[in-house]
Amino acid sequence: MNKKTSAIIMTVLLLCSCGSPSETAEETDRSEAYVITETETAPSVILETTLQTSEETVSVTSETASAISETASSEASEAASEIPQTESMMRSETETTPESETEPLPPASEIITETEYSELLSTESYTEAETVSETAVMTTLASVSKEKVTVEVPKIKTGSFSGEKMLENDLAAVDISAASEGVVKVTYKGSGSKVKVRITKGDAIYDYSLDPAGTVFPLQSGSGTYNIKVLENVKGKTYAIVLDNDFEAKVDELSPYLLPTQYINFGEGDKCVYKAAELCTGKSGDIEKASAMFLYITENITYDKELAASVKSGYIPDPDTTLERGKGICFDYASLFASMCRSQGIPAKLVMGYVRGDVYHAWNEIYTSETGWITVDLFLDSKGWNLLDPTFYASASDKAGVSEYIGGGSDYSAVYYY
């Protein structure tokens, strides 16, 4: 990689960063996230935690992962501003031509009568030419009509939550009926305004905010024994455990990355699902489909510097919103791409971690059984999980240089998988 390319990549890395070390340093030490304290008033064990809301300094994994403070790539903004506004520059077919631009009528001596015009049309040479022209047009229209393909939106699998296997009490419930598919659904029945969920397996610890109506979370740590805790805020930084249970799950490697979950949330009626189906119509193979979706996102979604400057802790991306607004931060890019891929049956991860050691960022990995081109520059050269970074690719002026950087993957350090 030459010096110019390296400099451009460094610029993209610095300007598209999703956080600073100071914002996420506390995430690396999870062993002290909960300190049990005694209380005489609380009916259950009270935990003194560092879980906090947008008004507080957040130090838990997913909370900090969500609090992405990114700065837009100036190069991307400049590039976007230079795109010619072709629609406004083109004259409408129905627009009236200004009088000054109309062609003047020929001299009276050259103007023929309607009868003469009819006779001219009846000549053999003209009629033959006209017939050929009309036939060609009709043939072309028929061909286009036959080639028109109906977009078929696939049925979206959401997990078999039958309610047959439940972990529950008066305040919370966990449906583990679909644990073998790599997901669980958690609901809260209490009156607390802030509720958290912690899912642990071995050293892997994932913390989430909980929507009381129910939220689907992934079991991304493979098969084995999981522990799940539901916690409600008592006051300040103090949370009480309202449910604490262990359960066994035998999870296939790909299962958690094929279904909708909290950060990759999509359904059959969503616009991102339809757009994915539209883009993949007529395409064959995962590489060809992933290429169509990756190119669409990187060519149509721009970096949202205003959101990057104002995003708060607890931010959860919405793929349809990103698609409609046509812009987002790295969390949005990764969520949209993962949602579109999963809707097409392509296993996709949303990954949070570091680039070049200190730039907190979100990107994707997709699983394919083939190798091939995603873009003219970016080639997936392994069967299995491959790293893709739609944010960096969309923001870079030097696509080839960034493709080489992304494809190498040596400067990416994954911390959390969703």
Side-chain angles (χ1 to χ4, degrees):
M1 187 183 301
N2 58 42
K3 293 182 178 179
K4 179 180 178 182
T5 299
S6 178
I8 292 174
I9 290 173
M10 283 302 298
T11 301
V12 174
L13 289 173
L14 292 174
L15 296 181
C16 288
S17 64
C18 294
S20 63
S22 62
E23 295 172 324
T24 58
E26 294 183 15
E27 292 190 48
T28 58
D29 185 3
R30 307 309 303 276
S31 62
E32 297 181 0
Y34 287 82
V35 180
I36 299 177
T37 61
E38 295 183 358
T39 179
E40 296 178 359
T41 58
S44 59
V45 176
I46 302 296
L47 301 183
E48 186 68 19
T49 87
T50 54
L51 289 171
Q52 300 166 0
T53 62
S54 58
E55 295 82 14
E56 304 162 341
T57 301
V58 179
S59 61
V60 297
T61 56
S62 63
E63 292 297 325
T64 304
S66 301
I68 308 169
S69 57
E70 307 184 59
T71 305
S73 167
S74 58
E75 293 183 358
S77 300
E78 292 173 5
S81 65
E82 294 174 3
I83 296 175
Q85 302 301 313
T86 53
E87 293 185 2
S88 61
M89 295 168 63
M90 295 172 60
R91 183 184 303 281
S92 169
E93 293 182 3
T94 59
E95 184 178 355
T96 303
T97 304
E99 184 177 353
S100 60
E101 296 181 14
T102 59
E103 184 177 350
L105 290 172
S109 60
E110 297 181 16
I111 298 177
I112 61 177
T113 65
E114 184 175 344
T115 301
E116 291 172 324
Y117 182 62
S118 298
E119 291 176 355
L120 178 62
L121 292 179
S122 66
T123 61
E124 183 178 353
S125 59
Y126 188 88
T127 302
E128 181 180 356
E130 182 68 13
T131 302
V132 172
S133 176
E134 289 181 1
T135 301
V137 170
M138 293 304 295
T139 301
T140 301
L141 291 175
S143 175
V144 171
S145 178
K146 289 181 180 179
E147 292 176 359
K148 186 176 180 180
V149 180
T150 302
V151 175
E152 295 185 6
V153 178
K155 182 174 179 58
I156 303 300
K157 296 181 179 180
T158 57
S160 305
F161 295 111
S162 63
E164 295 179 358
K165 297 180 181 179
M166 300 290 295
L167 308 173
E168 61 183 328
N169 57 28
D170 293 339
L171 292 175
V174 182
D175 190 337
I176 60 172
S177 302
S180 61
E181 298 171 67
V183 288
V184 294
K185 185 174 183 179
V186 185
T187 54
Y188 173 69
K189 311 172 189 177
S191 58
S193 59
K194 292 187 290 185
V195 185
K196 306 291 181 181
V197 172
R198 166 169 281 193
I199 300 177
T200 305
K201 180 180 177 294
D203 295 331
I205 303 173
Y206 287 84
D207 290 325
Y208 306 91
S209 291
L210 176 64
D211 181 341
T215 307
V216 176
F217 301 108
L219 301 177
Q220 62 271 70
S221 301
S223 299
T225 302
Y226 282 83
N227 174 267
I228 187 163
K229 290 181 175 68
V230 179
L231 309 102
E232 64 180 12
N233 182 255
V234 178
K235 62 177 181 178
K237 302 177 183 179
T238 305
Y239 283 75
I241 297 177
V242 298
L243 184 144
D244 186 352
N245 284 104
D246 293 336
F247 64 95
E248 294 291 325
K250 186 176 182 180
V251 183
D252 179 81
E253 177 192 4
L254 302 180
S255 295
Y257 307 111
L258 285 166
L259 304 179
T261 54
Q262 186 184 52
Y263 293 157
I264 304 94
N265 196 7
F266 59 95
E268 283 185 33
D270 290 352
K271 293 180 180 179
C272 67
V273 172
Y274 182 85
K275 174 55 69 175
E278 183 181 53
L279 293 169
C280 294
T281 297
K283 305 293 190 300
S284 61
D286 289 350
I287 290 291
E288 192 174 350
K289 293 179 180 179
S291 300
M293 294 181 285
F294 184 85
L295 282 171
Y296 180 84
I297 290 173
T298 56
E299 290 174 358
N300 292 276
I301 306 299
T302 57
Y303 193 82
D304 190 345
K305 56 185 178 181
E306 293 182 4
L307 178 59
S310 62
V311 67
K312 302 295 184 181
S313 170
Y315 176 77
I316 297 177
D318 178 73
D320 268 11
T321 298
T322 303
L323 191 65
E324 291 172 6
R325 295 178 67 242
K327 55 185 177 179
I329 55 178
C330 68
F331 205 3
D332 297 310
Y333 275 91
S335 176
L336 175 59
F337 184 55
S339 296
M340 293 176 77
C341 284
R342 291 186 188 186
S343 74
Q344 286 293 309
I346 302 173
K349 297 177 181 178
L350 186 158
V351 188
M352 304 292 293
Y354 294 89
V355 181
R356 282 283 171 96
D358 59 356
V359 179
Y360 203 68
H361 187 48
W363 63 90
N364 296 104
E365 289 184 13
I366 64 170
Y367 186 95
T368 70
S369 58
E370 54 189 307
T371 59
W373 296 103
I374 288 292
T375 70
V376 68
D377 303 303
L378 189 54
F379 186 83
L380 302 188
D381 57 3
S382 66
K383 295 181 179 180
W385 292 105
N386 290 270
L387 191 155
L388 289 173
D389 191 337
T391 310
F392 280 0
Y393 190 86
S395 302
S397 58
D398 180 7
K399 303 294 188 187
V402 168
S403 293
E404 181 182 348
Y405 182 85
I406 294 170
S410 58
D411 288 302
Y412 287 77
S413 178
V415 180
Y416 307 110
Y417 296 94
Y418 299 98

